């Protein structure tokens, strides 16, 4: 654990909601739990609250450490903390694990009250709109009538946009980073290949592998390896690994020869031990289904017309999975709808993962934006 520039030790909280939640597909969860972490202090009028929404494989652990033996902090520790761009000396920051996740919130690993066993494949499909609905209930529980900001990258950015559309009176600022108003055809295709790797794993057991005491490691491993490639840029990957080999000469077999192969297999193996396969399937479907313009006959300008929040958009030059032109598409719709919006297009070699990386210009832009939000709170 490195205490320098960190919020330090944090403790997750599990909140129980003893009320039914009707999902977009008509299914009903009789009750549910959300795992959250909070950082900083809520001010007297509860106006300084910031919600951090996670991407596909993220969770509630945004910043800090869970114990002194942790080697790595939360997934956005370089962004959230005392004196950081999202300054916890000034803001009360909330991170949560979404419904359908596998890090404490109600999901496929949770007990189905009807059967007394893990939901597994019986856990209903959830959407970004469902997450916003549950997050609004979380805000009610915390006594937060209006978020100062909601912020996220990738799938997290989609949640921030859906919040601005669905709950316009409960949000002052939405920060939508490395995201898009809907997935491209290519992205949907990548997601389906990843799902097929999991669904066809012999240990998937039709989604009920927990009861069989199995894990579909092979499918998860392949899904993560393929996904990881799409999160990176060729320039960044090339600079890191090039054609560097493990041994001087070709071995003429199918074992690891190139360093990039070793890296991807390591990432795949690690992921297969820490993430639930059913949750992975659910998260990728939530990505596929996200399309706020669908309710407006495909008209994105009409979809964003109810937004009252100020919008901040950021994209990264080497991000080919959520390319800058997708942010530009959203920008054009917001401008056409006469909404206040700022957009920053950043140069980066890190691909889609750039939103998680240390980057001077990127972090400076976020810091300036949150400084402006803080100044609004003192008016």
């Amino acid at each position: 654990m490195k205490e320098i520039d960190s919020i330090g030790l944090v403790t997750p909280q599990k909140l129980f909601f003893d009320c039914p939640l009707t999902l977009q597909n008509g299914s009903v969860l009789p009750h549910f739990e959300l795992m959250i972490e909070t950082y900083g202090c809520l001010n007297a009028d509860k106006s300084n609250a910031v919600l951090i929404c996670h991407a596909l494989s993220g969770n509630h652990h945004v910043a800090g450490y869970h114990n002194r033996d942790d080697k790595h902090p939360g997934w956005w520790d370089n962004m959230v903390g005392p004196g950081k761009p999202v300054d916890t000396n000034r803001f009360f920051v909330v991170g949560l694990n979404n419904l359908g996740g596998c890090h404490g919130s109600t999901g496929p690993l949770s007990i189905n009250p009807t059967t007394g066993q893990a939901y597994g494949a019986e856990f209903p499909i959830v959407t970004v709109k469902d997450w916003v609905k549950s997050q609004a209930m979380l805000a009610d529980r915390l006594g937060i009538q209006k978020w100062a900001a909601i912020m996220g990258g990738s799938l997290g950015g989609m949640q921030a946009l859906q919040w601005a559309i669905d709950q316009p009176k409960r949000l002052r600022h939405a920060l939508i980073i490395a995201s898009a108003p809907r997935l491209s055809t290519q992205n949907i295709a990548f997601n389906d290949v990843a799902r097929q790797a999991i669904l066809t794993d012999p240990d998937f057991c039709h989604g009920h592998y927990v009861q069989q005491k199995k894990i579909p490691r092979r499918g998860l491993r392949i899904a993560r390896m393929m996904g990881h490639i799409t999160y990176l840029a060729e320039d960044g990957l090339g600079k890191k690994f090039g054609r560097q080999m493990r041994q001087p000469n070709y071995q003429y077999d199918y074992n690891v020869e190139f360093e990039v192969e070793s890296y991807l297999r390591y990432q795949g193996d690690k992921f297969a031990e820490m993430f639930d396969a059913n949750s992975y399937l659910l998260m990728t479907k939530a990505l596929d289904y996200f399309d706020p313009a669908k309710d407006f006959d495909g008209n994105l300008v009409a979809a964003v017309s109810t937004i009252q929040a100020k919008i901040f958009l950021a994209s990264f030059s080497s991000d080919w999975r959520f390319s800058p032109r997708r942010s530009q598409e959203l920008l054009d719709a917001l401008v056409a709808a006469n909404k206040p919006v700022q957009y920053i297009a950043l140069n980066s070699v890190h691909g889609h993962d750039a939103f998680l990386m240390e980057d001077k210009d990127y972090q400076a832009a976020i810091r300036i934006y949150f400084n402006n939000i803080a100044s609004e709170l003192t008016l």
Side-chain angles (χ1 to χ4, degrees):
M1 171 181 168
K2 291 173 60 180
E3 294 192 33
I4 299 173
D5 296 330
S6 171
I7 200 166
L9 294 176
V10 295
T11 303
Q13 309 168 55
K14 184 177 285 191
L15 302 182
F16 179 71
F17 293 81
D18 191 15
C19 55
L21 177 65
T22 301
L23 304 176
Q24 191 176 359
N25 66 5
S27 300
V28 178
L29 291 175
H31 49 72
F32 64 96
E33 294 175 311
L34 292 178
M35 184 70 84
I36 71 168
E37 282 183 10
T38 65
Y39 322 102
C41 296
L42 194 59
N43 62 9
D45 62 1
K46 300 184 178 181
S47 63
N48 70 332
V50 175
L51 178 66
I52 302 291
C53 299
H54 67 72
L56 189 153
S57 59
N59 55 38
H60 56 281
H61 186 37
V62 177
Y65 297 82
H66 284 159
N67 60 69
R68 295 195 175 277
D69 295 326
D70 279 354
K71 294 181 180 179
H72 304 288
W75 57 268
W76 227 353
D77 191 76
N78 61 6
M79 187 67 73
V80 176
K84 295 185 180 181
V86 184
D87 190 349
T88 51
N89 290 327
R90 296 191 291 184
F91 293 100
F92 175 70
V93 180
V94 180
L96 86 161
N97 183 215
N98 285 333
L99 284 175
C102 54
H103 292 96
S105 292
T106 298
L109 294 177
S110 303
I111 298 301
N112 182 343
T114 303
T115 65
Q117 296 183 312
Y119 275 102
E122 294 173 1
F123 193 84
I125 295 288
V126 288
T127 66
V128 174
K129 286 180 74 72
D130 295 327
W131 289 337
V132 169
K133 194 172 182 180
S134 67
Q135 291 161 6
M137 295 170 70
L138 170 62
D140 293 341
R141 173 70 65 87
L142 298 174
I144 297 165
Q145 293 301 311
K146 195 169 191 175
W147 297 98
I150 295 179
M151 175 181 180
S154 190
L155 181 55
M158 291 175 171
Q159 294 171 65
L161 174 58
Q162 193 72 61
W163 253 99
I165 293 170
D166 287 357
Q167 302 280 346
K169 295 182 179 180
R170 302 196 67 177
L171 176 61
R172 291 188 177 88
H173 295 268
L175 290 88
I176 302 164
I177 302 167
S179 195
R182 64 178 181 177
L183 283 195
S184 66
T185 308
Q186 185 185 52
N187 271 319
I188 293 172
F190 277 129
N191 283 345
D192 190 54
V193 173
R195 286 193 295 269
Q196 288 303 311
I198 293 169
L199 291 167
T200 58
D201 187 315
D203 289 333
F204 183 65
C205 303
H206 303 289
H208 295 292
Y209 44 85
V210 172
Q211 286 89 330
Q212 302 297 322
K213 294 181 170 47
K214 295 181 179 180
I215 298 174
R217 289 184 177 87
R218 184 192 310 172
L220 272 168
R221 183 173 181 254
I222 294 170
R224 184 58 171 181
M225 288 171 70
M226 188 201 67
H228 203 71
I229 295 168
T230 71
Y231 305 147
L232 304 173
E234 170 139 6
D235 285 350
L237 202 60
K239 286 179 180 178
K240 186 171 184 177
F241 297 108
R243 290 180 57 86
Q244 186 176 348
M245 296 179 63
R246 302 294 298 275
Q247 300 181 54
N249 300 311
Y250 292 148
Q251 300 303 300
Y252 298 104
D253 59 26
Y254 298 108
N255 294 315
V256 171
E257 294 201 72
F258 295 92
E259 289 292 349
V260 69
E261 294 175 314
S262 175
Y263 171 74
L264 288 174
R265 294 186 194 192
Y266 168 76
Q267 292 294 335
D269 289 339
K270 183 173 71 170
F271 187 76
E273 298 302 324
M274 62 172 281
F275 208 84
D276 177 60
N278 281 316
S279 286
Y280 193 93
L281 299 176
L282 288 169
M283 296 294 168
T284 58
K285 289 303 287 187
L287 275 163
D288 290 355
Y289 288 141
F290 179 74
D291 183 7
K294 188 175 187 296
D295 294 334
F296 298 85
D297 296 322
N299 188 330
L300 185 57
V301 177
V304 301
S305 63
T306 60
I307 290 178
Q308 296 180 19
K310 296 176 182 177
I311 307 294
F312 174 93
L313 301 175
S315 67
F316 299 91
S317 59
S318 58
D319 183 355
W320 57 274
R321 186 142 195 193
F322 287 78
S323 68
R325 65 187 178 87
R326 305 313 307 285
S327 292
Q328 184 70 50
E329 179 184 348
L330 179 54
L331 174 66
D332 291 344
L334 289 163
V335 170
N338 198 31
K339 302 301 175 182
V341 56
Q342 295 183 35
Y343 173 47
I344 179 169
L346 294 146
N347 290 320
S348 173
V349 299
H350 296 299
H352 186 53
D353 272 356
F355 80 92
L356 298 169
M357 303 291 188
E358 294 273 359
D359 182 288
K360 181 179 65 174
D361 294 335
Y362 167 44
Q363 292 178 309
I366 299 295
R367 183 184 298 277
I368 291 168
Y369 196 85
F370 270 92
N371 285 344
N372 291 335
I373 296 175
S375 67
E376 292 177 4
L377 300 179
T378 61
L379 295 178

